[in-house]
Amino acid sequence: MKKEPVRKVPCCSVCGEPAVIRQRESGRHLCGAHLAADIEGRVAATIASERQVAPGDCIAVALSGGKDSTALLLLLHSLFSSRDDIRLVAVTVDEGIHGYRDETLRSAEELVKRLGVEHVTVSFPDLFGETLDTVLQGREEQACSICGILRKKALVTAAERAGATKLATGHNLDDEAQSVLMNLLRGDLMRLVRNSGADSGGRFIPRIKPLMYIHEKEIAAYLMVQGTWSDLPECPYAVHALRREVRSMLAQIEYAHPGTMLRLMENKKKVETAFAGKPAREPLGSCRQCGDPCSRDLCQFCQLKTTLWG
Ligand code: SF4
Ligand code: ZN
């Protein structure tokens, strides 16, 4: 009988223990403990270099219960739970997506209970009178654009109820690189330099993205190492999203050419730097209907509200 070749488990480049991941850009292999330390260090460095958190902040952590938001809360909790000058509150939006959201909500609730973090939940029926499922009947093709606008409104409402000064979301490097590419594909380059909250004169809660330089697969490995990995279902409407196609295309390019996603982010920075100090958008006014800051007559939410509910 032919003998199977013995596959050698790669060793951690730091300590020599069996590795759980290979970081393709650096070529390093890392064991669970050194992967966790590496990610915690990079998240802390992003928070410091982007000046995302200041003493006295109350950070609303957007927690859907999915992978990225779970990792975000774990990481922010490990960085800030011992600080008296920073408060963490998890905020969750229940859109009302049958067969999907219930499971992630359960996972969110378990996590906040285990960490002892305050939790504010808002739901589409409470805020808008109906679930996303009923809103989308006959409009499934536009699912993510409609959901995106309603979710944003709901998240901000939850963050305001929590008394937050920052709103942290779990967008990772893959999400951010996909957004750069999608803005280019849609011909909306200027959207790259619209940094929500940065120039609002304190009129809305600034968004922060502490995981913006962490790969999706590093987050998955981190959760496995932390023992919090669970295989949750995918949103049933995700099949309609342009992002899905961009995601798989970009993942293939990244595999063949490691560092592509980081280079897209570097280009975003260059565009931001080129436009620094210049008015990247029309002056910020107020929405005619709700008074929220916006650069048009009606904010996106009020436009959508009129289309959906008259
Ligand atoms: Fe909403 Fe689309 Fe995300 Fe589903 S995939 S939760 S519809 S944005
Ligand atoms: Zn409005």
Side-chain angles (χ1 to χ4, degrees):
M1 215 169 90
K2 210 174 147 201
K3 241 177 139 188
E4 285 286 322
V6 182
R7 285 186 62 192
K8 238 180 107 189
V9 179
C11 296
C12 175
S13 311
V14 182
C15 69
E17 288 293 310
V20 294
I21 197 166
R22 173 168 180 248
Q23 291 180 322
R24 290 175 57 89
E25 286 117 357
S26 65
R28 290 197 315 168
H29 287 94
L30 292 177
C31 68
H34 283 109
L35 171 71
D38 180 75
I39 290 182
E40 282 168 15
R42 280 157 60 208
V43 169
T46 301
I47 290 173
S49 69
E50 305 275 327
R51 297 200 186 93
Q52 293 182 340
V53 176
D57 265 339
C58 169
I59 309 172
V61 185
L63 177 69
S64 67
K67 289 194 274 298
D68 299 325
S69 66
T70 296
L72 176 67
L73 185 61
L74 284 170
L75 284 156
L76 293 184
H77 185 262
S78 91
L79 287 172
F80 297 123
S81 62
S82 59
R83 294 254 309 251
D84 293 335
D85 58 344
I86 290 175
R87 194 176 136 226
L88 290 182
V89 184
V91 291
T92 299
V93 176
D94 178 2
E95 305 90 344
I97 305 175
H98 183 70
Y100 163 65
R101 194 45 94 204
D102 290 350
E103 276 199 51
T104 57
L105 285 179
R106 211 170 303 125
S107 154
E109 271 155 24
E110 277 169 22
L111 182 67
V112 290
K113 217 176 272 170
R114 178 160 69 80
L115 298 178
V117 171
E118 230 181 292
H119 194 199
V120 173
T121 303
V122 293
S123 77
F124 276 19
D126 287 348
L127 297 177
F128 313 125
E130 52 181 324
T131 63
L132 185 67
D133 285 338
T134 59
V135 171
L136 291 182
Q137 272 167 21
R139 299 188 179 94
E140 290 81 2
E141 296 288 314
Q142 307 165 54
C144 293
S145 14
I146 293 178
C147 175
I149 295 169
L150 297 179
R151 270 178 62 80
K152 195 167 154 196
K153 183 76 177 174
L155 259 186
V156 170
T157 305
E160 284 169 355
R161 285 184 187 171
T165 54
K166 298 281 164 61
L167 173 56
T169 59
H171 294 90
N172 59 42
L173 176 58
D174 299 50
D175 299 325
E176 290 298 287
Q178 288 155 19
S179 296
V180 175
L181 206 52
M182 282 167 68
N183 288 331
L184 288 171
L185 293 173
R186 288 189 179 125
D188 191 4
L189 186 69
M190 292 313 287
R191 204 177 172 143
L192 287 182
V193 291
R194 279 179 222 145
N195 186 2
S196 57
D199 56 356
S200 70
R203 291 180 60 203
F204 46 83
I205 303 171
R207 299 272 189 114
I208 59 169
K209 297 173 181 173
L211 307 186
M212 64 195 279
Y213 291 115
I214 310 292
H215 280 286
E216 190 178 295
K217 75 164 196 183
E218 292 180 298
I219 291 174
Y222 176 78
L223 290 178
M224 283 180 190
V225 168
Q226 301 293 319
T228 29
W229 170 266
S230 49
D231 208 3
L232 293 165
E234 193 185 18
C235 173
Y237 300 111
V239 287
H240 302 290
L242 164 67
R243 184 175 285 274
R244 196 185 171 96
E245 290 164 51
V246 172
R247 180 185 177 190
S248 95
M249 179 180 80
L250 196 52
Q252 283 174 30
I253 302 175
E254 175 72 30
Y255 187 78
H257 308 280
T260 300
M261 291 188 190
L262 278 174
R263 281 193 291 278
L264 276 168
M265 295 297 283
E266 279 164 20
N267 275 306
K268 181 186 176 196
K269 276 263 171 234
K270 280 184 197 160
V271 176
E272 277 172 355
T273 311
F275 281 91
K278 294 183 191 157
R281 58 176 163 193
E282 307 91 81
L284 205 59
S286 300
C287 168
R288 174 163 55 82
Q289 266 178 28
C290 70
D292 274 4
C294 74
S295 49
R296 300 210 184 116
D297 184 37
L298 279 181
C299 71
Q300 270 190 321
F301 172 71
C302 287
Q303 277 175 32
L304 178 64
K305 206 170 75 174
T306 314
T307 315
L308 293 176
W309 300 300

